[in-house]
Amino acid sequence: MAVSGFEGFEKRLELHFFGDHNDPTVTMGLRLIDFDSLNQVLRVVQCAVVSAVGNHFFDAYVLSESSLFVYPTKIIIKTCGTTQLLKSIRPLIHLASDLGLTLCGCRYTRGSFIFPESQPFPYVNFKQEVICIEENLPDTLCFRKASVMPSKLPSYSWHAFSAGDAEHFPADDTFTVEVCMTELDRVMARKFFKTSHDSAAAKGMAELAGIDGINPRVIVCDFEFDPCGYSMNGVDGDRYSTIHVTPEDGFSYASFECVGSVYDDQDGIVETLKKAVQVFKPATVSVSTTSLHREVWTTVARAMEPLGLKCRSFVMDEFPAAGTIVFQTFTEARRK
């Protein structure tokens, strides 16, 4: 019987809504959902809020299993372990409807689980996940696509589903980068084991590992888990970033996710990605970029190659309601 550890690879759900722009509630939108209602949704998903921060643009919650970001017309929820993420779709649509908001876009992504046999239904295979999502979406989201994007590394694939309506296609210049790292450097991974029960220990953990240097501009909201593990949400104006670490040897994993704009200084994006990966010194990295602009993916290789990581596979696919998704995998250059 296979030994199972904690599943680091996250499931990620992004829901977009629209409403009457003349309605004053739209300026706050989904942020008006009360905390008790959010908690009820999270209970169904099988996680809870452990830390939170907000600013003028959005609210960021660190969860017992990853993160939740709530914007006026967008929700991003990312959960690891054996959580039931897709059970959040229907109640979130209902809560948004109570605020006069209607679902117009959905995106679901995940990597390949380290312990697939431990996942509950429907996460046993992607086809079942897609069926589950589609059962919960309104018919108005008629532009749909599901794809498993393969790589040359047998246990690394990117699973993506998107759905959108005919009127509210994404038209912004932002992009999302999702980085998944495995086989973390053992010395670095030890820094994510709890050595103190002091509430300031999480900050010390971030400083020890160098996480605080990835983007010094962000407001950090983080949490240290007992006996090990670390989660962080970064808030920088209207942009979020997030880091999650499962440091146990044999199934060590870390993720870094951020958003940017095609108008940003591309060297800055390269530097941020380089710093994030450098913190963990992983042997294997997979990166997914989602954007309406195809060239965004080029920044990824520029960030990885100076770290001694070689691109092993590259897959590009178009999603009508999300844009272009590019999935790349990297391993140490000295590996054959």
Side-chain angles (χ1 to χ4, degrees), residues 93-106:
I93 291 173
H94 178 74
L95 289 168
S97 175
D98 288 346
L99 296 167
L101 296 168
T102 304
L103 186 72
C104 60
C106 169

Side-chain angles (χ1 to χ4, degrees), residues 3-9 114-115 181-184 228 245-254:
V3 176
S4 183
F6 185 80
E7 180 60 65
F9 274 91
I114 299 171
F115 305 107
M181 297 168 271
T182 56
E183 300 168 79
L184 310 182
C228 63
V245 189
T246 302
E248 291 100 320
D249 198 27
F251 49 94
S252 62
Y253 171 85

Side-chain angles (χ1 to χ4, degrees), residues 44-66:
V44 172
V45 174
Q46 295 170 6
C47 59
V49 173
V50 294
S51 189
V53 69
N55 67 3
H56 180 66
F57 299 99
F58 70 104
D59 300 309
Y61 300 89
V62 176
L63 306 179
S64 53
E65 271 85 7
S66 300

Side-chain angles (χ1 to χ4, degrees), residues 17 25-35 37-38 53-61 69-75 95-96 99 101 235 237-238:
F17 299 84
T25 61
V26 173
T27 52
M28 283 297 283
L30 299 164
R31 298 181 71 186
L32 294 173
I33 297 172
D34 64 272
F35 189 65
S37 296
L38 274 182
V53 69
N55 67 3
H56 180 66
F57 299 99
F58 70 104
D59 300 309
Y61 300 89
F69 302 99
V70 182
Y71 287 80
T73 58
K74 176 173 71 177
I75 280 186
L95 289 168
L99 296 167
L101 296 168
V235 173
D238 62 350

Side-chain angles (χ1 to χ4, degrees), residues 132-207:
C132 177
I133 298 167
E134 293 196 312
E135 284 174 346
N136 286 285
L137 296 182
D139 293 339
T140 49
L141 271 64
C142 54
F143 293 94
R144 302 181 181 188
K145 180 170 179 175
S147 178
V148 179
M149 304 172 74
S151 77
K152 289 180 181 174
L153 306 177
S155 56
Y156 286 81
S157 297
W158 193 247
H159 305 70
F161 170 87
S162 77
D165 66 15
E167 295 176 41
H168 302 89
F169 275 62
D172 61 14
D173 296 299
T174 62
F175 59 84
T176 306
V177 182
E178 297 171 68
V179 183
C180 301
M181 297 168 271
T182 56
E183 300 168 79
L184 310 182
D185 176 80
R186 287 183 177 187
V187 173
M188 183 56 72
R190 281 193 208 110
K191 294 177 181 177
F192 296 97
F193 281 80
K194 202 166 185 180
T195 55
S196 164
H197 291 279
D198 180 5
S199 61
K203 186 181 178 188
M205 197 178 266
E207 286 175 357

Side-chain angles (χ1 to χ4, degrees), residues 224-301:
E224 176 194 7
F225 293 92
D226 197 358
C228 63
Y230 174 81
S231 286
M232 181 278 279
N233 289 337
V235 173
D236 181 12
D238 62 350
R239 300 180 187 181
Y240 70 88
S241 57
T242 184
I243 289 173
H244 302 285
V245 189
T246 302
E248 291 100 320
D249 198 27
F251 49 94
S252 62
Y253 171 85
S255 66
F256 172 71
E257 180 179 331
C258 66
V259 287
S261 165
V262 292
Y263 300 118
D264 289 346
D265 172 17
Q266 297 300 296
D267 290 340
I269 299 157
V270 169
E271 203 54 37
T272 298
L273 286 175
K274 196 190 293 182
K275 284 179 181 175
V277 175
Q278 216 163 9
V279 163
F280 300 103
K281 300 180 175 66
T284 306
V285 181
S286 62
V287 186
S288 168
T289 54
T290 304
S291 172
L292 294 177
H293 301 261
R294 289 184 169 210
E295 67 278 4
V296 167
W297 63 267
T298 59
T299 59
V300 175

Side-chain angles (χ1 to χ4, degrees), residues 72-90:
T73 58
K74 176 173 71 177
I75 280 186
I76 298 159
I77 179 166
K78 187 169 181 169
T79 63
C80 54
T82 55
T83 46
Q84 293 272 7
L85 176 60
L86 299 180
K87 286 187 175 180
S88 68
I89 297 175
R90 194 164 288 182

